[in-house]
Amino acid sequence: MSVQPPRDRHSERVDVGGETLGTFRLLEEVARGELASFWRARSLEGPEDASPLIIKRLGRQHQRSPEYRQALQREAELAGTFRAAGFVRALKFERQPELFTVMEYVE
């Protein structure tokens, strides 16, 4: 799976106007791949000035596939165990209202 940032970062970014996903507010799509999309987000449960997060959303066409669901969950579990430079840590795996992983935001 390859993940590419939008070609023209100014014209192709998707601003969702504050759509919520579970307890997170989606701010903008920052990348899209064949299987998933990545969104800059903020938690609705913490302080307003909390650090942004990344939400990895499994594509709608893969939400019902047991193989893709298991792969996303395994990836989140493994990424949650890494504590090293160069690795983005997964913080949480959610199943409702859809499958997604909450990850550290790294600029």
Side-chain angles (χ1 to χ4, degrees), residues 29-88:
E29 183 179 38
V30 295
R32 178 174 294 272
E34 295 173 31
L35 302 177
S37 58
F38 297 81
W39 298 78
R40 192 168 59 84
R42 291 211 184 270
S43 174
L44 296 172
E45 296 180 331
E48 295 236 357
D49 62 346
S51 297
L53 303 162
I54 289 291
I55 302 289
K56 180 178 182 180
R57 300 172 84 173
L58 194 59
R60 293 190 196 282
Q61 70 275 24
H62 302 299
Q63 285 283 329
R64 291 206 167 115
S65 166
E67 294 83 18
Y68 288 117
R69 293 169 63 91
Q70 289 174 345
L72 183 68
Q73 184 171 356
R74 278 193 310 268
E75 177 186 83
E77 290 168 354
L78 287 172
T81 64
F82 291 125
R83 303 272 192 278
F87 287 98
V88 174

Side-chain angles (χ1 to χ4, degrees), residues 20-31:
T20 59
L21 179 63
T23 59
F24 300 92
R25 179 166 314 284
L26 302 180
L27 303 172
E28 68 178 334
E29 183 179 38
V30 295

